[in-house]
């Protein structure tokens, strides 16, 4: 089957023989289920016993997003979809329970985050003014295969891709799957700059979900840009993957890496491309914005004001993907879309979504809503 997009042609691999394919699918499903059960149990083990049992008895494991434990409040479980928040019991969280969970997890970093070794889960702490932990957010981390097929055709171009979207929409999950596909299927030298150990998981040995990609730890979040440059200078990557580009130093490191011909795959804070354009710290990722004063004749020719905004350089990320929902993404050719946005016009985009059968449907050259 061939999938035509506005950016090119993606040749899908031929189906395997019927009996062999069915057997492999069963093995993969069994292996994935066992790994998933192990990962969930590892998360539940750090919780109080009654919460552990309560969650094990529920059938919504696949929809569980996080467990929240705040001192003096009822513990909650958050799920995807409607009725997303549920109390797990009718008694409040105690300091003793928080201390038990903290001891089970181990040390938190300066960003108040910790992981569970061998898993992709993230535990985030809330501290009081004395530095004691008074709340925990236990975020479920999953390796989901197939999520990448929404943008797999873009990878063949070797161009940098920026993902934007609100928290919880699946950006880190996509980073993980892209790392696996690029390193294993496309045989690229991939290095992940894993600031919070969210992409590669906790512990010294990376989670198998990232395939053959190598992972560099970051001791402090503010050191992320230095580790990005170190990855280039020391490890000769063809691709660098980085989550949560947020500071001016990160942006400068991205531009420096892109200028060396290395493909970048990253995420940034914001729901849409327009948010990046309007963000003075991040706008250099999309080429930067400058004020230009036109002459009288030029302004009349363009039928615009004399003072206008223009993109000042090629974008660091030629592609930008807005993850509006888990199964509804909008893809931009960054340079074209930014130019139109600065002119006050709506860009033409490519809408990528999954239908009821979870097949990817691509609608080309739509006016952005």
């Amino acid at each position: 089957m061939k999938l035509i997009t506005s950016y090119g042609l993606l040749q899908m691999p031929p189906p395997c023989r019927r009996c062999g394919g069915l057997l492999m699918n069963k093995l993969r499903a069994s292996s994935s289920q066992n790994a998933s059960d192990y990962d969930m149990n590892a998360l539940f083990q750090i919780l109080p016993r009654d919460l552990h049992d309560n969650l094990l008895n529920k059938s919504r494991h696949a929809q569980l997003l996080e467990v929240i434990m705040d001192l003096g409040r009822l513990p909650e479980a958050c799920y995807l979809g409607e009725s997303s928040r549920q109390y797990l019991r009718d008694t409040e969280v105690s300091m003793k329970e928080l201390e038990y969970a903290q001891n089970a997890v181990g040390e938190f970093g300066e960003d108040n985050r910790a992981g569970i070794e061998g898993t992709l889960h993230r535990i985030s702490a809330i501290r009081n003014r004395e530095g004691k932990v008074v709340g925990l957010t236990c975020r479920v981390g999953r390796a989901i295969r197939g999520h990448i097929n929404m943008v797999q055709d873009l990878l063949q171009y070797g161009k940098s891709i920026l993902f934007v979207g609100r928290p919880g929409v699946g950006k880190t999950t996509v980073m993980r799957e892209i790392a696996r596909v690029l390193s294993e299927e496309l045989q690229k030298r991939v290095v992940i700059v894993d600031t919070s150990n969210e992409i590669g998981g906790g512990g010294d040995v990376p989670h198998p979900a990232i395939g053959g990609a190598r992972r560099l730890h970051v001791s402090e979040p503010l050191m992320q840009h230095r580790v990005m440059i170190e990855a280039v200078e020391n490890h000769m990557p063809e691709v660098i993957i980085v989550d949560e580009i947020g500071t001016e130093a990160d942006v400068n490191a991205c531009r420096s890496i892109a200028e060396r011909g290395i493909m970048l795959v990253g995420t940034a804070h914001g729901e849409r491309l327009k948010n990046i354009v309007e963000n003075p710290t991040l706008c250099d990722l999309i080429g930067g914005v400058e004020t230009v004063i036109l002459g009288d004749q030029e302004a009349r020719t363009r039928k615009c004001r004399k003072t206008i905004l223009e993109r000042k350089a090629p974008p660091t990320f030629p592609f930008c993907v807005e993850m509006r929902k888990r199964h509804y993404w909008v893809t931009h050719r960054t340079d074209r879309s930014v130019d139109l946005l600065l002119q006050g016009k709506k860009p033409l985009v490519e809408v990528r979504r999954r239908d009821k059968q979870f097949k990817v449907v691509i609608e080309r050259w739509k006016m952005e809503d």
Side-chain angles (χ1 to χ4, degrees):
M1 154 181 165
K2 294 183 179 179
L3 178 65
I4 304 291
T5 75
S6 59
Y7 303 128
L9 185 67
L10 172 64
Q11 179 71 46
M12 301 297 287
C16 55
R17 293 180 180 176
R18 180 173 177 78
C19 57
L22 290 174
L23 176 60
M24 287 304 297
N25 288 339
K26 287 180 180 179
L27 290 173
R28 289 192 189 106
S30 173
S31 174
S32 175
Q33 185 63 43
N34 291 339
S36 175
D37 290 345
Y38 166 76
D39 283 356
M40 295 303 290
N41 281 324
L43 176 65
F44 294 163
Q45 288 296 330
I46 74 169
L47 304 176
R49 186 69 192 181
D50 57 339
L51 301 190
H52 176 193
D53 294 341
N54 189 331
L55 288 166
L56 278 178
N57 291 331
K58 291 184 180 296
S59 60
R60 300 182 63 189
H61 290 177
Q63 287 78 42
L64 182 63
L65 287 178
E66 59 189 17
V67 176
I68 296 174
M69 297 173 57
D70 288 337
L71 181 65
R73 292 185 172 181
L74 302 182
E76 293 180 81
C78 299
Y79 295 90
L80 285 171
E82 298 179 4
S83 303
S84 60
R85 300 173 74 91
Q86 295 182 3
Y87 291 122
L88 294 173
R89 69 182 186 202
D90 57 6
T91 56
E92 299 167 348
V93 175
S94 68
M95 180 61 78
K96 184 177 180 180
E97 289 174 326
L98 289 174
E99 289 174 351
Y100 170 81
Q102 185 180 358
N103 290 334
V105 172
E107 292 294 324
F108 286 86
E110 291 199 3
D111 56 357
N112 282 315
R113 294 179 177 181
I116 301 174
E117 188 164 355
T119 76
L120 300 170
H121 308 309
R122 184 186 79 192
I123 316 300
S124 301
I126 297 175
R127 299 181 185 271
N128 63 14
R129 299 184 70 175
E130 286 74 39
K132 289 185 178 179
V133 174
V134 294
L136 292 174
T137 302
C138 306
R139 181 88 173 269
V140 177
R142 293 184 176 88
I144 303 176
R145 292 208 173 194
H147 205 43
I148 193 178
N149 61 8
M150 294 274 275
V151 291
Q152 190 159 2
D153 58 307
L154 299 185
L155 299 182
Q156 66 178 326
Y157 296 97
K159 303 291 185 181
S160 297
I161 307 172
L162 179 68
F163 290 85
V164 298
R166 58 182 174 78
V169 79
K171 298 189 296 297
T172 305
T173 303
V174 175
M175 297 294 102
R176 204 175 289 130
E177 181 72 347
I178 286 176
R180 182 189 66 80
V181 170
L182 286 173
S183 62
E184 289 191 343
E185 297 182 15
L186 299 183
Q187 295 293 301
K188 300 285 187 181
R189 296 190 303 274
V190 180
V191 172
I192 299 170
V193 177
D194 208 0
T195 304
S196 299
N197 286 353
E198 277 198 77
I199 300 177
D204 293 337
V205 179
H207 194 279
I210 66 171
R214 305 180 74 189
R215 188 259 298 272
L216 296 187
H217 293 272
V218 181
S219 57
E220 303 173 19
L222 292 178
M223 298 290 288
Q224 177 170 273
H225 64 286
R226 293 191 180 181
V227 179
M228 291 168 66
I229 298 300
E230 176 190 329
V232 176
E233 294 177 343
N234 291 355
H235 304 289
M236 296 181 61
E238 295 175 282
V239 183
I240 289 181
I241 295 177
V242 58
D243 207 1
E244 297 185 6
I245 300 165
T247 68
E248 185 177 356
D250 292 343
V251 173
N252 291 335
C254 286
R255 188 169 61 243
S256 174
I257 291 168
E259 288 171 352
R260 305 183 199 199
I262 297 170
M263 179 182 175
L264 277 163
V265 181
T267 69
H269 306 286
E271 288 192 61
R272 302 199 178 188
L273 175 60
K274 185 178 180 181
N275 300 136
I276 307 300
V277 174
E278 295 172 348
N279 187 317
T281 302
L282 300 179
C283 69
D284 276 357
L285 295 175
I286 49 82
V289 178
E290 63 182 357
T291 302
V292 176
I293 299 176
L294 304 176
D296 293 338
Q297 183 60 42
E298 183 65 20
R300 282 194 294 270
T301 301
R302 295 193 187 191
K303 296 181 181 180
C304 64
R305 294 177 299 177
K306 293 184 65 174
T307 302
I308 62 171
L309 297 176
E310 286 189 349
R311 178 170 51 86
K312 63 182 180 182
T316 302
F317 292 88
F319 293 117
C320 178
V321 179
E322 298 173 357
M323 299 177 66
R324 304 275 183 89
K325 299 178 183 178
R326 283 184 176 267
H327 303 298
Y328 185 93
W329 301 359
V330 173
T331 305
H332 293 265
R333 283 290 295 267
T334 307
D335 52 357
R336 300 175 188 174
S337 291
V338 170
D339 291 345
L340 288 170
L341 286 170
L342 293 177
Q343 295 170 27
K345 300 177 182 178
K346 292 184 177 181
L348 293 173
V349 298
E350 194 170 81
V351 174
R352 297 166 178 241
R353 59 183 176 82
R354 295 185 193 275
D355 61 17
K356 293 181 180 179
Q357 287 74 41
F358 281 86
K359 293 181 180 179
V360 176
V361 177
I362 300 178
E363 301 173 70
R364 301 190 301 272
W365 303 117
K366 288 192 65 175
M367 187 75 73
E368 184 182 28
D369 58 14

